[in-house]
Amino acid sequence: MPELPEVRAHAERLDRDLASTTLARFTALSFTALKTYAPAPESAVGAPLAHVGQRGKHILLDFGTATFVVHLMQGGRLRPDPKKAAKPRGGVARWELDDGSALLLTEAGTERKAGVWVIDGDPEASDPLLGLGPEADGVTATELLGLLHEHPSRLHGFLRDQRVMSGLGRRLANEVCHRARLSPFAATKRMGADDAARLAEAVGACVAESLAFERGRDDMSSSKERPGAVHHRKGQECPDCGDVVRTVEYRSYEVAYCASCQTGGKVLADNTTSKFLK
Ligand SMILES: [Zn+2]
């Protein structure tokens, strides 16, 4: 799933490319596209696109009178749409602009989770942004220490909880734990100031690295292209110590880690319940 760096860099690209256009028409192409009833998307027709922004894993198309909040979820993409086909493959929604260009939201696969919320007023005051934690790369070590204790959980799940801080997903949670030399299953309530400082550094560095990578591209990367040490690198050598990258497998994803770097050499059980976990 695109995470904070991919979404932010993409919002920057769209903001640059679509500056000073006006909404001519919005079309929901699938019946699950629109997640809100009011205001109607037509309320933004005729309004200039003020800004394309990012919040957590969401892209915000701010037309002043209304903001379209777009969540790409796993397989969604929001791209220029020169063809404007009547039934584009995986089509979810389309924004046609007054200069003849268009933006198309598509979603690969059959999950039908990508969607669009239309918000008037402050988008932070409504779903899906309401209750989101601060942007992950803006959280200080001191703030992070407080959050670790306020939200007792395992570290990997903590990092992915969008209400705690927003923008990190499975890939960055893996990379952050590795960079911070912490077990993905460490109990957050037992973590101290040193851990929080390492974590804050790791979040900042991992986000910055991916952001630099994304900003050097013309379109959003695929998950396999993204930089990292452990994510999707099971069986390969840890770039820091040469040990093998291991995983704990779940039904739909895996937690990747290096035992030498992160767990004092302890190999975690493949099916996590609790017995191995520290
Ligand atoms: Zn290692």
Side-chain angles (χ1 to χ4, degrees):
M1 179 183 292
E3 300 172 40
L4 185 161
E6 293 80 41
V7 175
R8 186 177 295 169
H10 196 60
E12 290 169 357
R13 271 191 291 271
L14 294 177
D15 188 58
R16 185 190 61 214
D17 295 346
L18 301 175
S20 66
T21 54
T22 292
L23 186 65
R25 186 150 75 133
F26 171 85
T27 311
L29 299 168
S30 89
F31 68 91
T32 56
L34 204 54
K35 308 296 187 186
T36 46
Y37 294 105
E42 289 71 30
S43 67
V45 169
L49 179 60
H51 181 62
V52 182
Q54 162 267 333
R55 180 75 171 93
K57 301 176 188 172
H58 303 82
I59 293 176
L60 281 64
L61 304 172
D62 175 5
F63 285 96
T65 53
T67 301
F68 293 82
V69 178
V70 180
H71 199 322
L72 302 175
M73 300 301 294
Q74 192 73 36
R77 289 293 182 271
L78 184 64
R79 289 190 173 114
D81 179 30
K83 287 186 191 164
K84 290 186 257 183
K87 290 186 177 175
R89 187 174 177 175
V92 178
R94 176 184 284 134
W95 292 257
E96 290 174 64
L97 301 161
D98 64 337
D99 66 353
S101 66
L103 262 185
L104 179 66
L105 174 63
T106 58
E107 184 176 27
T110 54
E111 285 205 314
R112 296 266 167 234
K113 286 181 176 173
V116 180
W117 289 255
V118 186
I119 314 290
D120 56 3
D122 177 9
E124 295 274 341
S126 304
D127 276 343
L129 305 187
L130 181 66
L132 276 190
E135 294 290 293
D137 61 334
V139 175
T140 66
T142 308
E143 290 164 345
L144 194 50
L145 182 62
L147 292 171
L148 287 164
H149 295 165
E150 285 161 26
H151 301 274
S153 46
R154 304 290 177 188
L155 181 57
H156 200 273
F158 168 89
L159 291 168
R160 289 184 287 115
D161 186 342
Q162 303 300 298
R163 295 163 302 167
V164 175
M165 49 185 186
S166 59
L168 306 183
R170 292 162 187 166
R171 181 180 74 87
L172 283 172
N174 282 334
E175 297 300 334
V176 165
C177 290
H178 179 260
R179 186 177 171 97
R181 300 286 185 264
L182 290 166
S183 167
F185 301 103
T188 61
K189 65 182 175 202
R190 290 205 287 270
M191 297 175 75
D194 282 359
D195 300 318
R198 289 217 305 283
L199 264 184
E201 189 280 334
V203 170
C206 290
V207 168
E209 179 188 31
S210 288
L211 202 45
F213 175 76
E214 289 297 317
R215 281 174 174 158
R217 297 175 52 92
D218 295 330
D219 191 15
M220 191 181 280
S221 62
S222 67
S223 65
K224 288 200 166 35
E225 295 173 312
R226 293 169 195 159
V230 291
H231 186 71
H232 280 161
R233 285 169 173 76
K234 180 184 184 179
Q236 298 179 26
E237 273 188 15
C238 167
D240 293 350
C241 75
D243 193 0
V244 64
V245 173
R246 294 180 165 84
T247 59
V248 176
E249 310 273 345
Y250 291 86
R251 188 172 301 167
S252 60
Y253 70 105
E254 58 187 33
V255 172
Y257 70 102
C258 167
S260 294
C261 287
Q262 295 174 255
T263 61
K266 184 155 57 182
V267 175
L268 304 173
D270 213 27
N271 186 6
T272 46
T273 48
S274 62
K275 54 187 173 176
F276 286 88
L277 312 177
K278 177 190 158 312

